[in-house]
Each structure stands twice: as C-alpha cells, then as structure tokens.
Amino acid sequence: MGHRVYGELMRYSHDLKTERKMHLQEGRKAQQYLDMCWKQMDNSKKKFERECREAEKAQQSYERLDNDTNATKADVEKAKQQLNLRTHMADENKNEYAAQLQNFNGEQHKHYYIVIPQIYKQLQEMDERRTIKLSECYKGFADSERKVIPIISKCLEGMILAAKSVDEHRDSQLVIDCFKSGFEPPGDFPFEDYSQNIYRTISDGTISTPKQEGMRIDPKTTVGKAKGKLWLFGKKPKGPALEDFSHLPPEQRRKKLQQRIDELNRELQKETDQKDALIKMKDVYEKNPQMGDPSSLQPKLAETMSNMDRLRMEIHKNEAWLSEVEGKVAARSDRRHSSDINHLVTQGRESPEGSYTDDANQEVRGPPQQHAHPNEFDDEFEDDDPLPAIGHCKAIYPFDGHNEGTLAMKEGEILYIIEEDKGDGWTRARRHNGEEGYVPTSYIDVTLEKNSKGAVTYI
C-alpha cells in the first residue's frame, strides 16, 4: 500500500500539477497575444482618426486662402500641397487601420473558438484521467486491505490461543526456580526462663549458672540478625560484596560461583590460544630470522604463562568454594535436625541457618551474619520502590547477558546506574523500561552524579 498505491498516487499528483500549470500557462499566453493584437488595432484606429482631423484642417485652410483675394498665388499653392499630403497620409492610415481590424477580428475568432476551447478540452481530459487514477488507487487500497485482513485475523487468533494457553502455576514456578534463595524458614524461639534466678538455691547455683550464661542472648544481635537475614521483603542493606559471595544465600552463591568459573575458563582458553600462537610465531622467527626477533616475543609469552597460572589458581579457588556450597546444601537437613535438638545449648551461637556466630572454633561454615556482610540478594524480593538512579553510563562494548542476574546491552546504549561497583567487577544498572541487572564495569563508561555519596567518574 505504501509503495505501490500511496507512492504512485503521490508521483501522479506531482505530474498532474505540472501538466495543469502548463495548460494554464498556455491560456495566459493566448490571452496576452489577443490583447497585443487589440492594442495594435486600437493604435492604428487612433492614428487614422488623428490624420483625418489634420486633413480636414488642411482642407479648411486651403478653401479660406483660395477665396481670399488678398492671398498670393504662392500661399494658395502651398496650402494645396499641404492638403494633398494630409489626404494621402489619411488614406494610408485608413488602409493600416482596416488591416489591423481584420487581423484582430481573425485572432479574436481563433482565440475564442479554437485556442481556448482546446485548452479547456485538455484540462477536461486531464481531470478525467485524474478521476480514473483515483478510482484505481481506491481499488488498490481496498485490495491491499483485503490481502492483509486474513493475516491480521490469523495474528489475532494466535494471540487468543496464546492467551488461553497461559498456565499461571507453571509461570509462577519458573519465577520461583529462577529466584529461589535456598533459605529455610526460621525455627521457633525457645522459652527463656529468667525466673530461675528467683527460686534457685545456693546448692544448685553452681549447676544452673553456666546454663543460664549459655542461654543468655543479646536481643539486638540475635533477633535483629534473624529478622534482617530471613525477612526477604525488607530494604537491602548497603555493604561491600565478598570475593567468595558468602554474603549471598546458598542457591544464589552457587550460581554466582558457577558463573565466575565459566568466565575464568573462557579467559583461560583465550590465554591458551594466545600462548599457542606466540609459540608458533616464535618458531617461525627462529627458522626465518629476517621476519623478526624471537627474543622479542619472550616477555609477552612469559606474561601469558603468568596469566594462565593466575587463572588456574582462581579456578581452583572458586571450585573449592563451589564444592563447599554444594556440600553444605546437601548437609543442611541433618544440621537443621541437630540444631533443633540442642537449641537450648547453642541458642547464643546459632543463627537461623545453623551457623555459629559466637565461637569461631565451633562455627559451621555458612553464609555470614547480617551485621558483618549485608545480603545483596534482597533486591529480587523487594516490593518497595525501585532504587534511585545515582548516575548514568554508556556501553562501550556489547554484552549478551545470558547469565542469570545480568543485563544485556548494546554498544552505545545509555543506562541508569542504581548501584556502583563493589569491587567484584560488576555494576548494577537499569534500562528506561525498568529492567535491571548487572553489567561488567569494564564494558561501560560510568558517570555518577556529583551530589551522590562517593561519586566518582571512571572508565
């Protein structure tokens, strides 16, 4: 419709305007030529009229001198010659006026009976062609709509089928599987009997005192910790991220570690390929010294080997953390059962996940306490207002963002910064449509607002 119908109609309209302008210009030219003929005829008529008056004056002058007895013969002869001259000029102007009158009448007849009717006929034919073209365009519009209507109907039917096939339970389960944290609900708080100090005797004081000391807890550190750690709908506390992601819940920590291991493996593969390429180039230089110096590649090769060793150590360290997380998740149920049996003894040292906080020697390794390393997974469960933007950034390189929690971006795309880099190489950003996620800090050019806390500009 846009190319074949509308585009053709616009081109025809332009041609039609040009043709109409040409016909109107021809009509103006014909009218101007007729006006010019009338002016020539009118000028010859006025000239003939003037010469006739001059001839009459010469006739009267001649008759007056001829009847005057005192006039000389020379004066009479001169007046007679003047009369003959004026009569001759009047006859010539008469002939000129008659010719111009005949020419004007012919041109006027031609103008009103031939030229102007021909121009009007051409304008009429042009308008008839315009009418036919409009009818063809209307038919083209209708045909285009008729061809598109089945496609639109099919799309609408597909939308209806898709809407009917929505399974809210399956969709909810997908969201749960994507954002599940691995936390377990907190256990019941034990009864703390402070009345034992009133009824105890001197004999049993030595027995009950240690028990009461073991049972004494600080409500600010225990209850507050449990609420801050397990209540997932609270505000996210600000704090630095740890290298081993121990500030995250088990399931999120496992995903982050696996993601980092995959990235380190990719970097290791790149370094390995670079090492192989350098070795091959060095062999070529050794066989053909004129192409280059083999010793010039040694520093780069040593740097590549060092990077490979560093990446292997990082992979080994992250794999150890991942094994620790996977073993801890598998043993969670047994540890939970034992903590329920002995909760009176360990209530001052055990957190809701079964990790000990007071005695470092007896502590079971698990997610750190809320006051030491704040959680950074709470954003996924917040119902509060979104975090305010503290700056903006521009993508220097494209990023696919296939991993969970990341945000894909295109080169040159502008994003809002809602949380700056905590030292792990990731910056939290938000698109204009509200989509949030982490992007590599090295892939973006970040500018934080000057009035935000700790605002800096880095690349």
Side-chain angles (χ1 to χ4, degrees):
M1 184 183 293
H3 292 83
R4 298 182 180 179
V5 181
Y6 179 75
E8 181 65 24
L9 186 62
M10 294 300 294
R11 288 191 295 270
Y12 182 76
S13 175
H14 181 268
D15 296 340
L16 202 66
K17 290 179 180 178
T18 305
E19 184 180 356
R20 181 175 180 274
K21 184 177 180 181
M22 180 186 68
H23 293 323
L24 294 178
Q25 188 174 3
E26 290 178 356
R28 284 193 295 270
K29 287 182 179 179
Q31 186 65 40
Q32 289 173 0
Y33 179 71
L34 182 64
D35 293 341
M36 182 188 68
C37 293
W38 181 84
K39 287 181 179 180
Q40 290 178 354
M41 185 270 296
D42 187 63
N43 289 334
S44 62
K45 177 183 176 181
K46 291 179 179 179
K47 189 175 182 180
F48 171 62
E49 183 181 2
R50 185 173 62 254
E51 291 297 332
C52 287
R53 286 196 299 268
E54 293 292 333
E56 290 178 357
K57 291 180 180 180
Q59 179 70 26
Q60 293 175 0
S61 177
Y62 171 72
E63 290 177 356
R64 187 177 65 253
L65 290 175
D66 188 37
N67 294 327
D68 189 2
T69 56
N70 297 324
T72 62
K73 186 177 180 179
D75 294 334
V76 174
E77 190 66 24
K78 184 178 180 181
K80 184 178 180 180
Q81 292 178 358
Q82 185 70 20
L83 175 62
N84 292 333
L85 178 63
R86 290 296 178 182
T87 303
H88 178 70
M89 292 183 65
D91 291 339
E92 288 182 354
N93 283 284
K94 180 180 179 181
N95 295 333
E96 178 69 19
Y97 169 62
Q100 291 293 337
L101 180 62
Q102 184 179 3
N103 179 64
F104 172 73
N105 290 332
E107 293 296 335
Q108 181 175 253
H109 184 274
K110 179 181 177 181
H111 177 80
Y112 286 106
Y113 290 94
I114 298 176
V115 178
I116 294 300
Q118 182 67 25
I119 293 175
Y120 280 133
K121 183 179 180 181
Q122 292 175 352
L123 289 172
Q124 182 179 354
E125 291 176 352
M126 181 191 70
D127 193 72
E128 291 174 355
R129 293 197 307 271
R130 180 185 64 84
T131 304
I132 295 174
K133 189 67 175 180
L134 283 177
S135 65
E136 293 176 354
C137 291
Y138 292 146
K139 181 177 179 296
F141 278 119
D143 292 339
S144 300
E145 292 286 350
R146 186 181 301 168
K147 293 178 182 178
V148 172
I149 285 175
I151 302 175
I152 297 177
S153 300
K154 188 174 181 181
C155 293
L156 294 175
E157 292 175 359
M159 293 172 65
I160 294 173
L161 293 176
K164 290 181 178 179
S165 63
V166 170
D167 185 357
E168 66 277 9
H169 300 294
R170 181 175 59 85
D171 292 346
S172 299
Q173 189 61 40
L174 288 175
V175 176
I176 293 171
D177 294 339
C178 182
F179 293 103
K180 63 183 179 180
S181 65
F183 277 116
E184 295 180 2
D188 297 335
F189 280 95
F191 176 74
E192 302 174 11
D193 191 2
Y194 294 101
S195 64
Q196 293 180 5
N197 292 327
I198 302 175
Y199 301 103
R200 69 178 183 177
T201 60
I202 299 176
S203 60
D204 62 355
T206 56
I207 301 176
S208 59
T209 300
K211 184 175 182 180
Q212 291 171 0
E213 291 178 355
M215 293 173 59
R216 186 176 296 116
I217 60 175
D218 186 357
K220 294 183 179 179
T221 58
T222 305
V223 179
K225 291 174 191 174
K227 289 184 179 179
K229 195 171 187 85
L230 288 183
W231 185 243
L232 305 179
F233 301 96
K235 272 291 185 180
K236 175 183 173 183
K238 301 298 181 181
L242 298 181
E243 185 182 7
D244 59 353
F245 299 111
S246 59
H247 59 287
L248 296 177
E251 185 67 21
Q252 298 294 330
R253 183 187 181 194
R254 183 186 64 79
K255 292 179 181 179
K256 289 288 186 181
L257 288 173
Q258 186 62 50
Q259 178 183 348
R260 179 185 289 177
I261 291 174
D262 295 340
E263 293 177 356
L264 291 174
N265 283 326
R266 288 194 293 269
E267 293 181 7
L268 179 61
Q269 184 62 38
K270 291 181 181 179
E271 295 292 338
T272 304
D273 296 340
Q274 184 176 359
K275 183 197 73 172
D276 296 339
L278 290 172
I279 292 176
K280 291 180 180 179
M281 188 180 297
K282 184 178 180 181
D283 294 339
V284 172
Y285 286 175
E286 290 177 350
K287 295 178 180 179
N288 302 290
Q290 67 275 10
M291 297 182 64
D293 185 9
S295 59
S296 63
L297 301 176
Q298 192 62 34
K300 185 65 176 177
L301 187 59
E303 181 183 355
T304 303
M305 296 293 292
S306 176
N307 291 337
M308 291 175 60
D309 294 338
R310 178 181 55 80
L311 290 172
R312 289 193 185 99
M313 292 178 62
E314 289 289 333
I315 293 173
H316 179 72
K317 180 170 60 174
N318 283 273
E319 287 177 347
W321 289 334
L322 181 61
S323 301
E324 174 189 338
V325 174
E326 292 176 347
K328 181 178 62 177
V329 172
R332 179 178 298 279
S333 59
D334 296 338
R335 186 173 70 250
R336 182 71 185 181
H337 178 69
S338 62
S339 65
D340 290 340
I341 296 175
N342 301 310
H343 67 277
L344 290 177
V345 178
T346 62
Q347 63 176 5
R349 295 180 292 107
E350 186 179 4
S351 68
E353 288 74 36
S355 63
Y356 298 93
T357 58
D358 289 348
D359 190 353
N361 296 327
Q362 298 177 2
E363 180 179 1
V364 178
R365 298 190 66 180
Q369 293 300 319
Q370 178 77 8
H371 70 284
H373 304 289
N375 296 328
E376 293 191 356
F377 70 97
D378 289 340
D379 282 351
E380 302 168 1
F381 304 96
E382 286 183 359
D383 288 338
D384 299 321
D385 295 335
L387 294 175
I390 61 175
H392 63 276
C393 69
K394 180 179 181 181
I396 305 175
Y397 310 105
F399 180 61
D400 52 12
H402 292 325
N403 296 323
E404 181 183 1
T406 59
L407 182 65
M409 61 181 180
K410 299 179 181 178
E411 183 178 354
E413 185 176 1
I414 303 298
L415 303 173
Y416 292 116
I417 298 299
I418 58 177
E419 185 177 323
E420 56 183 313
D421 191 351
K422 302 297 183 179
D424 56 357
W426 294 90
T427 300
R428 192 175 180 191
R430 179 193 298 140
R431 279 202 180 92
H432 296 279
N433 59 4
E435 186 179 358
E436 298 180 1
Y438 288 91
V439 297
T441 305
S442 58
Y443 280 43
I444 57 176
D445 182 2
V446 179
T447 301
L448 298 180
E449 299 296 339
K450 294 182 179 180
N451 57 358
S452 63
K453 185 176 180 180
V456 294
T457 302
Y458 56 90
I459 297 178

